[in-house]
Amino acid sequence: MLIDAHAHLLPGHYPEHGPECFPSMEAVAGSTDRTLVFGEMRFRAKDVFFTAERRIEAQDASGVDLEVISPMPPLLKYDLDPADGLALAQHVNDVTAELCSHAPDRFAGLGMVPMQDPEAATAELAAIRERGLAGVEIASNILGDSIGHERFLGFFQEAERLGLSVFVHAMPSPMSRLPASAMGTYVVGVEGMFAAASMVLGGTAAACPDLRLSFSHAAGGFAMMLPRANYFWGGAWNEGPVDLERAVMPDDGPSPLEIARRFYYDSMVFDHRTIRYLIDLLGADRLLVGSDFPAMLREDPVAKTLKEMDLPEDQWADISSRNALRWLGRD
């Protein structure tokens, strides 16, 4: 079994009488494609984004047994008025649930919530579960605040209580230190690292030990910095015995590596050498298959890099499906 734990959808339509700030999907002459118009954004979307039949055809062609589908990240537009953000989230969640209902054995859906209003976002989680969705997707930062900020703790506690999975998608934020061309590469990596590190340092991960949390693109540069964070915590090289005389920032809680090994990470990192490092540091039981489909093309065949690594059977079974089932709470 192969589960793609990182795939996206777009609604094919939006309410005619919805708020003016809502996106629209404009027909493309002579094509089944539609153009997403959302503020200044223009994105041409193939019908596989919003048509269940086309998605299943694409799964069959790629050898995918189940997709975890979440909203395209630009829909996570947290600068909307909270009421408008909630209305947009509810529409997208309805569309996601309806698409998943076509083939519940082929789709698991993640909803979205207006994180710009943490109380409204938290209250909406129950409705997400009632729709039959497996969890929720959030961006790596909310109007400049990392997700580990204390004002979001109640949201994660409620997700943990309801048994909902949380998928953190790196969301590039324009910055003056790098050009715009870096948004989809280096800035995605920085954002993933900030988000994961904030969950460790802000105390949210320690406060929510049963929270099922996944990060897109292996949380960027997070894994590379974990050994340094572990040294600052415990004063040991190579995860050796704690040496408090060397520790720069000791505390009484679990080590950064111990906390990081509670999270899940999609393995869409484009290189088998990086995957081997992630397996060695975090464990094969922490990695998921991810593709970003259809925003990006899947490898042909899907998970080609992983398949070429000649992984032990148990590691392959974990990464290809079992970890995703655990993250989704379907163990």
Side-chain angles (χ1 to χ4, degrees):
M1 185 176 187
L2 198 149
I3 298 175
D4 184 348
H6 179 179
H8 294 302
L9 86 158
L10 285 168
H13 65 279
Y14 294 88
E16 292 183 8
H17 303 293
E20 292 184 4
C21 62
F22 266 30
S24 63
M25 291 289 273
E26 298 180 351
V28 176
S31 173
T32 57
D33 296 359
R34 298 180 191 176
T35 300
L36 171 68
V37 179
F38 200 7
E40 297 181 356
M41 167 171 271
R42 300 293 185 273
F43 177 79
R44 182 163 173 165
K46 297 185 178 298
D47 58 359
V48 71
F49 268 103
F50 46 83
T51 305
E53 293 79 4
R54 289 285 294 110
R55 294 197 76 103
I56 292 172
E57 290 173 7
Q59 285 186 40
D60 291 342
S62 297
V64 172
D65 296 291
L66 185 145
E67 276 182 313
V68 184
I69 50 176
S70 56
M72 272 283 283
L75 296 179
L76 307 176
K77 191 170 171 57
Y78 297 140
D79 58 355
L80 293 178
D81 176 83
D84 291 339
L86 177 59
L88 175 60
Q90 290 172 336
H91 173 71
V92 175
N93 295 343
D94 286 341
V95 169
T96 304
E98 195 276 333
L99 190 151
C100 290
S101 71
H102 283 269
D105 59 330
R106 305 298 298 270
F107 300 119
L110 302 180
M112 56 182 274
V113 291
M115 292 296 289
Q116 62 268 48
D117 184 340
E119 290 187 3
T122 302
E124 191 63 16
L125 289 175
I128 283 178
R129 192 172 76 163
E130 289 171 4
R131 286 181 174 91
L133 299 177
V136 62
E137 176 190 44
I138 64 172
S140 53
N141 79 85
I142 293 89
L143 302 178
D145 283 338
S146 288
I147 59 173
H149 192 286
E150 62 183 1
R151 71 190 187 100
F152 304 118
L153 176 59
F155 167 82
F156 290 108
Q157 289 174 323
E158 181 68 356
E160 179 186 41
R161 186 185 74 82
L162 293 173
L164 293 172
S165 308
V166 179
F167 178 43
V168 181
H169 199 291
M171 181 69 80
S173 299
M175 59 174 65
S176 60
R177 296 177 66 189
L178 289 170
S181 60
M183 293 302 104
T185 54
Y186 299 103
V187 178
V188 163
V190 169
E191 275 291 336
M193 180 178 66
F194 279 171
S198 77
M199 294 296 281
V200 175
L201 295 171
T204 302
C208 303
D210 297 321
L211 180 67
R212 300 195 306 271
L213 192 65
S214 170
F215 291 89
S216 72
H217 308 297
F222 180 59
M224 284 297 296
M225 299 313 300
L226 274 171
R228 179 179 176 89
N230 227 55
Y231 177 86
F232 272 53
W233 172 84
W237 290 65
N238 304 304
E239 208 174 350
V242 170
D243 182 352
L244 293 180
E245 289 188 4
R246 291 177 176 271
V248 180
M249 299 172 59
D251 64 53
D252 295 331
S255 73
L257 269 166
E258 181 181 341
I259 295 175
R261 288 172 181 147
R262 298 176 188 171
F263 304 154
Y264 293 92
Y265 308 84
D266 87 51
S267 58
M268 192 185 177
V269 293
F270 307 100
D271 197 299
H272 59 84
R273 291 164 294 188
T274 306
I275 294 172
R276 291 217 179 266
Y277 174 72
L278 293 169
I279 291 173
D280 192 36
L281 186 75
L282 299 172
D285 62 335
R286 297 294 96 193
L287 301 187
L288 311 169
V289 173
S291 70
D292 227 337
F293 180 82
M296 297 179 67
L297 295 176
R298 288 188 173 110
E299 281 190 288
D300 186 16
V302 67
K304 179 175 182 285
T305 296
L306 281 162
K307 292 174 179 176
E308 290 176 344
M309 291 174 62
D310 196 26
L311 296 171
E313 184 176 341
D314 276 356
Q315 289 190 0
W316 167 247
D318 275 347
I319 297 171
S320 64
S321 60
R322 291 195 304 218
N323 296 339
L325 293 173
R326 294 182 188 112
W327 171 54
L328 293 171
R330 298 186 179 184
D331 202 22

